[in-house]
């Protein structure tokens, strides 16, 4: 009898669980720069993109949930017309709150991200661009930071959002020559994205 009741309960709850868990695809544009620990090395904005699958779990009764993705993304900056940009496999993991209104559901999200460099150049030669900076900038293989997002969901499946990514670890650094100081830089990124949930 217990087995029958447990099975019936599981069948009754299955649609509710399914309604809370959504898979999707996400794509967007990044506007990124690198903030170095000294103003001598100043980077301008550079444009990249992001693309990958996502998973969202939200409790309809409270609007609280989680948002996780696996994104191929591009970040970096531009130093005196030299593009310093890396390709990363990034995993953002956000706590999400969604206002469960009928047509448009505004949302807020925040959480950490972890990035692993997957390609692109690792070293850029900046010799001749600066007199008091060593001749190369090197990309690190791992990065982490915090994301802060706001957006809205329409039609029950389309999400559009704006995200600010604050780098906590150094993505780029100049090579230490012994005679010149080493400069380290963290990425700061604005992202505009759209996601389709299935």
């Amino acid at each position: 009898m217990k087995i029958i009741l447990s099975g019936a309960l599981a069948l009754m709850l299955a649609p509710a669980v399914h309604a809370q868990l959504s898979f999707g695809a996400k794509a967007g544009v990044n506007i990124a720069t690198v903030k170095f620990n000294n103003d001598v090395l100043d980077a301008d904005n550079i444009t990249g993109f992001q693309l990958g699958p996502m998973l969202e779990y939200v409790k309809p009764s409270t609007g609280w949930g989680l948002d996780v993705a696996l994104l191929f993304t591009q970040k970096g900056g531009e130093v005196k017309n030299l593009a310093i940009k890396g390709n990363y496999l990034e995993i953002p993991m956000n706590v999400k709150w969604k206002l469960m209104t009928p047509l448009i559901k505004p949302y807020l999200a925040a959480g950490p991200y972890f990035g692993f460099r997957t390609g692109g150049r690792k070293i850029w030669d900046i010799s001749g661009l600066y007199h008091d900076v060593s001749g190369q900038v090197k990309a690190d293989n791992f990065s982490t930071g915090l994301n802060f997002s706001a957006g809205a969901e329409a039609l029950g499946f389309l999400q559009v959002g704006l995200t600010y990514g604050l780098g906590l670890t150094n993505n780029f650094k100049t090579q230490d020559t012994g005679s010149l100081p080493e400069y380290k830089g963290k990425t700061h990124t604005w992202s505009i994205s759209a996601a389709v949930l299935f």
Side-chain angles (χ1 to χ4, degrees), residues 110-162:
Y113 69 82
F114 305 92
F116 304 88
R117 196 179 72 84
T118 58
R121 292 176 61 181
K122 187 172 177 67
I123 296 176
W124 294 264
D125 185 6
I126 60 169
S127 57
L129 298 180
Y130 298 92
H131 296 295
D132 48 0
V133 178
S134 58
Q136 292 181 330
V137 171
K138 181 181 179 182
D140 283 346
N141 291 324
F142 174 76
S143 63
T144 186
L146 293 173
N147 281 328
F148 304 92
S149 302
E153 178 181 300
L155 306 174
F157 69 90
L158 178 63
Q159 292 185 358
V160 178
L162 177 67

Side-chain angles (χ1 to χ4, degrees), residues 2-198:
K2 273 186 179 180
I3 295 173
I4 295 171
L5 288 174
S6 298
L9 184 61
L11 288 173
M12 288 170 55
L13 292 177
V17 171
H18 180 71
Q20 295 169 1
L21 185 64
S22 301
F23 296 92
K26 188 174 187 177
V29 176
N30 296 334
I31 301 170
T33 190
V34 180
K35 299 290 185 184
F36 286 90
N37 60 340
N38 193 302
D39 291 338
V40 170
L41 195 58
D42 187 29
D44 294 322
N45 292 337
I46 197 167
T47 303
F49 68 90
Q50 59 175 244
L51 177 68
M54 67 171 287
L55 174 68
E56 181 188 270
Y57 176 83
V58 174
K59 288 189 70 174
S61 59
T62 63
W64 285 97
L66 299 173
D67 183 328
V68 181
L70 181 63
L71 302 175
F72 175 82
T73 186
Q74 297 177 314
K75 293 183 176 182
E78 187 174 282
V79 177
K80 292 194 173 181
N81 297 320
L82 176 64
I84 297 175
K85 180 164 63 175
N87 300 331
Y88 297 88
L89 190 62
E90 198 166 272
I91 305 170
M93 298 187 294
N94 299 313
V95 174
K96 193 170 197 175
W97 176 77
K98 192 186 295 186
L99 184 61
M100 305 302 285
T101 48
L103 297 177
I104 305 294
K105 296 179 174 64
Y107 69 81
L108 297 173
Y113 69 82
F114 305 92
F116 304 88
R117 196 179 72 84
T118 58
R121 292 176 61 181
K122 187 172 177 67
I123 296 176
W124 294 264
D125 185 6
I126 60 169
S127 57
L129 298 180
Y130 298 92
H131 296 295
D132 48 0
V133 178
S134 58
Q136 292 181 330
V137 171
K138 181 181 179 182
D140 283 346
N141 291 324
F142 174 76
S143 63
T144 186
L146 293 173
N147 281 328
F148 304 92
S149 302
E153 178 181 300
L155 306 174
F157 69 90
L158 178 63
Q159 292 185 358
V160 178
L162 177 67
T163 300
Y164 177 69
L166 173 65
L168 297 180
T169 56
N170 297 307
N171 292 77
F172 301 93
K173 63 182 177 183
T174 59
Q175 296 296 286
D176 187 6
T177 62
S179 59
L180 294 172
E182 182 182 63
Y183 298 107
K184 299 177 180 180
K186 299 176 174 66
T187 57
H188 294 244
T189 309
W190 286 99
S191 303
I192 302 170
S193 63
V196 177
L197 302 178
F198 305 109

